[in-house]
Amino acid sequence: MRFILIMFSSLLALNLTGCSKVDKNLTVSSPDKQLSVQLTLAENGGLTYQVNRGKNTVVKSSQLGFEFAQQAKFTEFEVLDSQVRSHQSSWQAVWGERKNISEIYNELFVSLKDKNSQRKLNLRFRVFDDGLGFRYEFPQQPAMSKFVITDEKTQFNLAQNMQTWWIEADYNSYEKPYQTSELAKIKHVQTPLTMRGQAGLHVSIHEAALTDYASMSLVRTNDTTLEAELAPWADGTKVKAHVPFQTPWRTIQVADSAAKLVESDLIINLNEPNKLADTSWIKPMKFMGIWWEIHLGIHTWKEGPRHGATTERAMAYIDFAAENNIEAVLFEGWNKGWEQWGTREAYVVPTDDFDLAQVANHAKSKGVVIVGHNETGGNIEAYESHVDEIFSIYSELGINVVKTGYVAEQGFANGENHHGQFAVNHYRKIVELAAKYKIMLNVHEPVKDTGIRRTYPNMMTREGARGGEWNAWSAGNSPDYTMTLPFTRLLAGSMDYTPGVFDIDYSNFAGKRYDWWGNPQKADYRVHTTLARQLANMLVLYSPIQMAADVMENYQGHPAFEFIRKLDVDFDDSKILAGEVGEYIYVARQADDTWYIGLATNSQSRLAQVNLDFLEAGAAYQAQIFKDAADAHYQNNPEAYVIELQQLAQQDKLSINLAEGGGAAIILQKVK
Ligand code: NOJ
Ligand code: CA
């Protein structure tokens, strides 16, 4: 018996050595040495990586690789070369949560050769203090030219069974409610996937610089192991490529608090620098428009007795915007779009009751920007064939912001989906063309954001989640949902959520709302926050083109509108003061010498306490506080708010009660 045991244990030892015997161990750490990545090339040819933070493993040994059409998998790699280098620089963003961004990382570059096929593959890891990215590169080489990826095998084998926040993967829509579950229960989810583990560990998996590739979702293959799943082409393949070629970065943000996760610049740092020589025409702005009233069902996109975008109403909106420091106005349904989706006319021919030249001239004379609207309905090929002319007409008219839309829940007209390589390339083509015409973009039903704004700063904002519109014609978005967004969807980049609704229960339009088919709209649809939280949302749900979504008449003479009027969305800096995923977030954003603080909570009331240590030492600040009234509640008393004035300084502490589904928005103006 003893003999057998000895034999068995020596066999085991032998076998273990066999498995762990590596040709090479390649490692790289973050500049602060906390985070480290180890790449392992096992004797069986497999390639794996592991991520540690201090002494703890965050991502256990995880497989890397691909499957190809008409080509074998890589079977046995050898390392040809490897290099580690350090990078330290900073760059100026044209706009953003902050203007000065440090880019500090250590990079491991490994060049590999598949022994059997002689094909070459490079891997590049960049490890920052706030997370890491890695990508595959297929260099120019004799053994490979064109290739088709049928599956990416990148795994994320998480070391803990964490709490996760996710939306289910659907290749034609991101407009899903966020769900929370333990990691070991999820099936197939979108990124960013946000996770919270033990001792405050927060992790988010996403991608950066999604270019000429299919977007990645995550499938759980085992316990706590996730694997990349690429959005397919209509023919079922994933990516069509030729060398030289590189994948987007697979990103893993790692932080010790939810607030730190939100403050990370990892995604934009992993994008290419700005490609636009002149960016003087790119400016953050607030906008309002003929939009919410259509979603509410008071007005229509289509011509008819309830048509919204008439010359008269557009002129009134322009005047209101000019008088109230709102830089831009959006008109939806001013064109023949709703009668003739997909045609050239849909984008350039105004309805009979809309005098485009008159409206454009009036806007110009008042210094107001018009936001053009292009709803493609998913007719991509038609749009691509007209878009050059459309943008040229718009730029002649001074329309230098365009909101595009891709409403097509069953996929694009040509059978492709919203997230595949075809779509990624289409969206990029439009960004590049828009830049040529000096047009800024706000894309609805977009592909997800992966930080492209660094390279093309005219790619301002996008929807890409369930936006405020859902409150108009469905049960809507819960206060817990909007408190999940900053820690999930917004990690990818800015969002056109469309906050700022004051008439929370639409009582100002009782009996005047109709659904798409002209039937009376359900009376119980409404917004699920307090009014003060609508103001806070303008700060916590970051967008460089930020909508004040409500109908003009609801703002006229409303004291709380002063916050929107005064808000400057061209921020220089931002701090996340505190937050927990799905619960609350407190942010401070600076524009010149004014700070704006947004405090927001989910369906629970709470006492928000924040230090003001980010204010300039020795300076006095006049604070104007827009907050929930003591008896406010998002369900029973949502519009009860108070405005308070206070003198505050760096050493002070703010304590503000937030109602259930409530919030506060504060302007801190430096006293000169
Ligand atoms: C959906 C968009 O999200 C919304 O903002 C727009 O008004 C409609 N499509 C019509 O294009
Ligand atoms: Ca939408």
Side-chain angles (χ1 to χ4, degrees):
M1 184 64 191
R2 205 168 158 239
F3 170 74
I4 295 175
L5 252 179
I6 293 168
M7 253 209 36
F8 182 73
S9 53
S10 61
L11 259 179
L12 200 76
L14 235 177
N15 189 31
L16 272 178
T17 348
C19 269
S20 63
K21 186 171 171 290
V22 290
D23 287 350
K24 216 155 202 163
N25 256 331
L26 302 148
T27 64
V28 59
S29 324
S30 57
D32 70 358
K33 309 258 185 307
Q34 281 298 300
L35 212 55
S36 64
V37 177
Q38 182 177 66
L39 186 66
T40 302
L41 195 59
E43 203 172 54
N44 65 9
L47 194 58
T48 61
Y49 75 99
Q50 173 166 334
V51 180
N52 291 343
R53 191 162 197 252
K55 291 199 185 84
N56 302 320
T57 300
V58 179
V59 180
K60 292 190 284 189
S61 174
S62 300
Q63 162 193 321
L64 296 163
F66 297 94
E67 281 177 8
F68 304 100
Q70 290 151 2
Q71 276 189 53
K73 284 199 262 191
F74 295 118
T75 44
E76 201 182 342
F77 280 117
E78 62 175 306
V79 174
L80 299 178
D81 187 21
S82 80
Q83 292 158 26
V84 174
R85 69 177 183 105
S86 297
H87 175 98
Q88 189 161 358
S89 67
S90 61
W91 56 279
Q92 280 271 320
V94 177
W95 52 266
E97 293 92 330
R98 59 192 64 80
K99 294 265 167 66
N100 296 316
I101 298 179
S102 339
E103 186 178 351
I104 305 171
Y105 60 82
N106 291 327
E107 179 180 279
L108 168 67
F109 175 77
V110 185
S111 98
L112 302 151
K113 187 166 84 182
D114 181 47
K115 285 187 194 162
N116 296 320
S117 64
Q118 305 295 305
R119 286 171 297 172
K120 288 184 188 164
L121 177 73
N122 300 336
L123 270 169
R124 199 180 291 274
F125 283 83
R126 285 192 183 159
V127 188
F128 296 70
D129 290 348
D130 56 349
L132 64 122
F134 60 91
R135 75 176 180 205
Y136 304 89
E137 300 173 359
F138 296 84
Q140 191 75 50
Q141 54 185 301
M144 225 178 162
S145 55
K146 274 191 173 175
F147 60 103
V148 174
I149 295 172
T150 52
D151 199 5
E152 181 182 322
K153 305 302 282 182
T154 307
Q155 286 190 340
F156 304 88
N157 184 3
L158 289 137
Q160 296 179 23
N161 182 18
M162 299 195 257
Q163 190 64 28
T164 62
W165 287 266
W166 48 270
I167 55 171
E168 70 182 88
D170 172 334
Y171 297 135
N172 284 307
S173 176
Y174 293 104
E175 302 193 20
K176 315 267 174 191
Y178 271 90
Q179 305 199 41
T180 182
S181 72
E182 56 181 293
L183 173 58
K185 295 258 167 68
I186 69 180
K187 290 193 177 107
H188 182 196
V189 300
Q190 263 307 347
T191 73
L193 166 65
T194 296
M195 300 175 261
R196 182 176 63 212
Q198 283 151 17
L201 176 73
H202 284 73
V203 177
S204 183
I205 300 177
H206 187 47
E207 59 183 311
L210 171 55
T211 306
D212 195 16
Y213 203 80
S215 73
M216 176 182 78
S217 53
L218 298 167
V219 165
R220 192 175 59 84
T221 52
N222 196 344
D223 301 332
T224 55
T225 305
L226 302 167
E227 193 171 301
E229 183 68 37
L230 303 177
W233 281 85
D235 68 9
T237 64
K238 305 292 171 50
V239 175
K240 300 175 198 293
H242 55 81
V243 295
F245 188 78
Q246 63 196 29
T247 69
W249 297 93
R250 276 63 194 92
T251 62
I252 307 173
Q253 275 174 252
V254 185
D256 51 22
S257 71
K260 285 264 161 49
L261 209 54
V262 179
E263 266 184 352
S264 166
D265 291 318
L266 182 78
I267 305 293
I268 40 177
N269 264 330
L270 286 167
N271 277 267
E272 298 292 318
N274 175 18
K275 284 197 175 165
L276 309 181
D278 173 19
T279 56
S280 58
W281 50 278
I282 302 175
K283 292 214 162 57
M285 60 183 84
K286 295 172 289 188
F287 74 107
M288 53 192 302
I290 300 179
W291 179 77
W292 185 233
E293 55 207 75
I294 308 176
H295 283 270
L296 285 180
I298 307 159
H299 290 141
T300 58
W301 280 282
K302 265 188 184 205
E303 280 180 277
R306 291 189 294 118
H307 185 219
T310 61
T311 308
E312 196 191 354
R313 194 151 174 78
M315 304 286 269
Y317 258 97
I318 291 167
D319 291 343
F320 184 82
E323 282 156 23
N324 288 287
N325 192 33
I326 306 287
E327 295 91 337
V329 284
L330 163 74
F331 304 125
E332 289 200 10
W334 65 269
N335 44 4
K336 293 277 185 190
W338 269 261
E339 288 79 5
Q340 306 171 43
W341 264 17
T343 63
R344 172 189 174 276
E345 288 66 32
Y347 308 103
V348 295
V349 178
T351 53
D352 296 343
D353 53 357
F354 191 88
D355 186 331
L356 181 58
Q358 191 187 344
V359 171
N361 284 337
H362 189 59
K364 220 178 267 173
S365 75
K366 294 274 177 173
V368 171
V369 171
I370 293 182
V371 180
H373 184 229
N374 287 176
E375 175 54 69
T376 68
N379 293 290
I380 306 302
E381 275 145 16
Y383 187 52
E384 285 192 3
S385 66
H386 302 304
V387 65
D388 209 309
E389 186 197 355
I390 297 165
F391 284 177
S392 117
I393 294 172
Y394 286 12
S395 81
E396 285 283 305
L397 289 164
I399 299 176
N400 81 328
V401 185
V402 174
K403 171 176 169 180
T404 56
Y406 294 87
V407 173
E409 276 154 26
Q410 305 305 318
F412 295 157
N414 66 357
E416 299 299 338
N417 67 55
H418 283 68
H419 305 181
Q421 188 182 14
F422 172 85
V424 168
N425 289 344
H426 164 74
Y427 291 117
R428 182 63 58 85
K429 234 183 263 177
I430 301 300
V431 173
E432 290 175 5
L433 188 72
K436 189 175 128 196
Y437 285 103
K438 301 200 166 153
I439 286 175
M440 292 170 254
L441 287 176
N442 171 3
V443 183
H444 277 230
E445 297 78 35
V447 73
K448 66 185 167 186
D449 197 351
T450 58
I452 298 305
R453 62 157 135 156
R454 179 177 181 185
T455 317
Y456 294 101
N458 64 314
M459 181 56 242
M460 306 296 283
T461 194
R462 68 186 86 201
E463 187 188 45
R466 214 176 167 97
E469 62 182 5
W470 284 76
N471 291 324
W473 33 256
S474 80
N477 302 334
S478 73
D480 302 46
Y481 166 78
T482 38
M483 270 306 83
T484 306
L485 284 177
F487 305 94
T488 51
R489 159 65 184 82
L490 275 281
L491 296 182
S494 48
M495 177 178 176
D496 186 25
Y497 180 82
T498 65
V501 174
F502 284 6
D503 180 17
I504 300 291
D505 58 3
Y506 319 145
S507 50
N508 294 348
F509 302 112
K512 294 187 184 147
R513 292 186 295 118
Y514 297 90
D515 65 17
W516 312 136
W517 301 275
N519 302 315
Q521 184 56 285
K522 285 201 182 145
D524 57 351
Y525 291 159
R526 51 174 291 162
V527 171
H528 304 276
T529 71
T530 65
L531 184 151
R533 161 83 120 83
Q534 285 293 307
L535 298 179
N537 280 354
M538 298 188 79
L539 292 164
V540 304
L541 302 175
Y542 173 71
S543 183
I545 310 199
Q546 185 61 285
M547 189 168 205
D550 212 340
V551 177
M552 177 174 67
E553 287 77 8
N554 286 338
Y555 291 141
Q556 259 154 1
H558 199 301
F561 189 59
E562 191 173 351
F563 174 80
I564 298 180
R565 193 184 306 129
K566 286 187 172 167
L567 175 66
D568 177 354
V569 292
D570 189 5
F571 302 123
D572 298 305
D573 199 9
S574 292
K575 313 248 177 241
I576 308 303
L577 307 175
E580 286 296 340
V581 189
E583 296 179 29
Y584 67 97
I585 190 164
Y586 308 150
V587 308
R589 305 202 191 275
Q590 180 190 26
D592 299 324
D593 54 11
T594 303
W595 281 89
Y596 301 90
I597 300 178
L599 310 172
T601 181
N602 61 1
S603 50
Q604 319 250 318
S605 64
R606 70 187 80 229
L607 176 66
Q609 292 186 297
V610 294
N611 290 323
L612 301 175
D613 46 15
F614 52 86
L615 295 179
E616 190 186 310
Y621 289 82
Q622 174 69 41
Q624 198 173 3
I625 302 171
F626 301 76
K627 62 176 190 182
D628 295 319
D631 58 350
H633 187 292
Y634 78 103
Q635 283 164 324
N636 317 322
N637 194 16
E639 292 177 26
Y641 71 97
V642 288
I643 304 176
E644 230 176 61
L645 296 176
Q646 265 183 46
Q647 283 271 112
L648 290 168
Q650 194 196 41
Q651 64 277 9
D652 292 326
K653 201 172 183 162
L654 261 184
S655 284
I656 295 182
N657 272 310
L658 311 179
E660 290 84 350
I666 300 146
I667 305 172
L668 284 158
Q669 168 81 59
K670 195 168 128 189
V671 181
K672 292 198 180 119

